[in-house]
């Protein structure tokens, strides 16, 4: 089966299994999504969602983060891991947003990746979620599942993104990635995938 055809079948199967999907990170304002996504690096979304309410209450606007003390920000996000680096990035990022972008979140991956601590994964998620741009968010779940399914090869997020862009309709990219994340958490776990109850078992490379 051609990879494009396989991708189409996987998209339809996941749509049936997860008809309504959205970003797992909780946010109310555009900059909150950007910050929450930065916090999610090497940290679970569940943990991030526990940390951000107090953080966003203390610093409600971009300007507040831009003027914040890094050490104080770090204390709010300590449980997220790499908290000192993340605190530095968040403050620097918000300084850039406030002084260069007039408190407006950029709408392209190219501009977003100019911000401190923002890589392609974060940029794709923000551009897709906030602006409806064609986006492919290749986190660990997406990389693992696309390799297992035979849609992509390798563990490099940028290379996996490039491979998916050649076989997945652009308008399906973000939703597919969200569905793969949910499927990776609920069914296709890293160590003990529940293959027998998987809606993709007939399409999975492991079973073909």
């Amino acid at each position: 089966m051609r990879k494009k055809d396989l991708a189409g079948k996987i998209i339809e199967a996941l749509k049936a299994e997860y008809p309504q999907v959205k970003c797992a990170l909780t946010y109310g304002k555009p900059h909150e999504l950007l910050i929450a996504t930065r916090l999610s690096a090497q940290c679970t979304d569940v943990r991030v969602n526990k940390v951000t309410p107090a953080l966003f209450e203390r610093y409600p606007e971009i300007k507040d983060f831009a003027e914040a003390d890094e050490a104080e920000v770090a204390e709010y996000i300590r449980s997220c891991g790499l908290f000192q680096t993340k605190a530095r990035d968040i403050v620097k990022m918000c300084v850039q947003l406030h002084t260069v972008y007039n408190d407006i979140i950029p709408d392209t991956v190219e501009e977003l990746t100019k911000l401190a601590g923002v890589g392609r994964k974060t940029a794709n998620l923000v551009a897709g979620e906030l602006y409806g741009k064609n986006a492919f968010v290749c986190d660990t779940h997406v990389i693992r599942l696309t390799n297992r399914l035979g849609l992509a090869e390798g563990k490099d997020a940028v290379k996996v993104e490039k491979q998916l862009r050649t076989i997945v309709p652009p308008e399906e990219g973000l939703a597919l990635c969200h569905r793969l994340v949910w499927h990776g958490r609920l069914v296709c776990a890293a160590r003990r995938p529940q293959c027998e109850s998987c809606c993709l078992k007939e399409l999975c490379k492991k079973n073909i």
Side-chain angles (χ1 to χ4, degrees), residues 42-160:
Q42 297 183 322
C43 180
T44 66
D45 292 343
V46 172
R47 168 54 54 187
V48 173
N49 288 338
K50 289 181 179 179
V51 165
T52 50
L55 179 69
F56 295 151
E57 182 178 4
R58 174 66 180 86
Y59 309 103
E61 304 298 338
I62 291 173
K63 184 174 182 288
D64 299 314
F65 275 106
E67 296 174 349
D69 177 70
E70 286 182 20
E72 184 179 345
V73 173
E75 286 304 308
Y76 277 91
I77 64 173
R78 177 179 287 272
S79 64
C80 285
L82 302 174
F83 61 96
Q84 291 175 320
T85 299
K86 291 177 180 179
R88 183 183 67 241
D89 286 344
I90 288 169
V91 172
K92 186 175 180 181
M93 170 202 306
C94 289
V95 169
Q96 291 173 278
L97 288 171
H98 186 58
T99 60
V100 179
Y101 296 95
N102 298 313
D103 293 350
I104 302 298
I105 307 300
D107 64 353
T108 67
V109 170
E110 291 69 29
E111 286 297 315
L112 284 162
T113 51
K114 293 179 182 179
L115 299 173
V118 176
R120 286 194 66 85
K121 171 195 164 186
T122 296
N124 267 288
L125 177 59
V126 170
E129 281 287 316
L130 297 183
Y131 298 108
K133 297 295 183 71
N134 297 330
F136 289 78
V137 183
C138 295
D139 74 345
T140 54
H141 292 291
V142 173
I143 292 170
R144 182 177 76 253
L145 268 66
T146 54
N147 272 253
R148 282 181 175 173
L149 292 164
L151 293 179
E153 296 179 1
K155 296 182 179 180
D156 182 271
V158 175
K159 292 180 179 178
V160 170

Side-chain angles (χ1 to χ4, degrees), residues 186-197:
L186 299 174
V187 180
C188 193
R191 294 184 179 178
R192 293 184 178 179
Q194 301 172 42
C195 297
E196 288 306 310
S197 60

